[in-house]
Amino acid sequence: MRVLIAGREGQVARALVAKLGAAGHATVALEPPALDITSADSIAAAMREATPDLVVNAAAYTAVDRAEDDEATALAVNATGAGLLAGAAAAAGLPFVHYSTDYVFDGTKGAPYTEEDAPSPTGAYGRTKLAGERAVLAANPRSVILRTAWVCSPDGGNFVKTMLRLGRERPQVSVVADQHGAPTFADDLAAAVVAMAPRLVAAPAGDAAFGVFHLTGAPHTTWHGFAEAIFAGAAARGQKAPELRAIATHEYPTRAVRPADSRLDCGKIERIHGIRAADWRAGLEACLDALAGPRTGRADEGRG
């Protein structure tokens, strides 16, 4: 199978190239200027050259706070571009996979969100990603939307790498303890595409394989709980861990409002595709192995 991936250097794109390649699939991963998803001409040229069986969109505008002041650019990439790419895949008779976000919800439900819950984004990033979901589904009925959250990997910028850096630089680190969700490792998001791909390529429009699905790690935690696990893992690898202080969201103001409780229910993707939410603690161990080397001792991992 040949897979065209929009995006090349991001966390998920890198994981896709590795996982699909390991499964024996050929990949063509492109980003601007080789593939500009906001340009129909650029998309058409990439499609002609790649001749894919499946198209995956791992390109996105993800600067959550900057999007508040640059929503037009975020919309061009996250919505208009996503729709153009999905439409090009549809015109070629191909299925399409698109990544979305927990930010399409406002975080006030008080329980994990299902795919049936009505989205209600609170900021520009969430609005543009929701617009992208709708554009993709309108352009290509053979599309899968994978909503995820708190993505991390050994590549790129993410919470794990930020905590490791702060732990080296500071004796004390403060982390928000009243925002609930689940870390998700890019390898697991890529593995889901590998698992789904054969069915997506074969299935017709209207098949239950297509639609919106939630996929994050498990179990649910808080940013503070995640940080505890990161520092415990770092300590077990011989690194000095800082004092970790729990704070409330209002003590760490940001330009964009974050959902307070963006836990996602991942039952649908397990029922339809047989894909279970992966334990993020295992993903964290693999990530820390890559970033800090193997464990050299024992440490109790905090949970939150």
Side-chain angles (χ1 to χ4, degrees), residues 158-257:
N158 57 65
F159 187 76
V160 174
K161 296 176 81 172
T162 297
M163 289 299 103
L164 291 177
R165 176 179 57 80
L166 293 179
R168 291 190 299 268
E169 297 174 351
R170 303 178 184 179
Q172 183 186 78
V173 175
S174 299
V175 178
V176 170
D178 57 357
Q179 291 178 19
H180 301 263
T184 313
F185 283 85
D187 273 359
D188 298 317
L189 293 172
V193 171
V194 174
M196 290 188 294
R199 180 174 175 183
L200 299 184
V201 169
D207 191 278
F210 301 111
V212 178
F213 297 89
H214 291 171
L215 183 61
T216 66
H220 296 127
T221 187
T222 64
W223 286 113
H224 181 270
F226 190 21
E228 281 186 313
I230 293 166
F231 290 133
R237 289 164 172 82
Q239 297 190 12
K240 184 178 179 180
E243 176 188 352
L244 182 60
R245 175 174 172 259
I247 61 172
T249 295
H250 70 81
E251 296 178 78
Y252 188 75
T254 56
R255 181 73 178 86
V257 176

Side-chain angles (χ1 to χ4, degrees), residues 14-52:
R14 285 175 176 263
L16 282 164
V17 169
K19 289 288 187 183
L20 286 162
H25 303 302
T27 60
V28 179
L30 303 172
E31 59 182 28
L35 173 55
D36 176 0
I37 66 170
T38 67
S39 164
D41 290 342
S42 179
I43 291 170
M47 290 285 289
R48 283 194 303 269
E49 182 157 343
T51 61

Side-chain angles (χ1 to χ4, degrees), residues 5 13 16 35 38 47 66 72 78-79 125 127 152 159 216 271 275:
I5 302 165
L16 282 164
L35 173 55
T38 67
M47 290 285 289
R66 193 162 67 240
N78 292 343
Y125 172 66
R127 287 193 296 270
C152 295
F159 187 76
T216 66
R271 291 191 303 272
I275 297 169

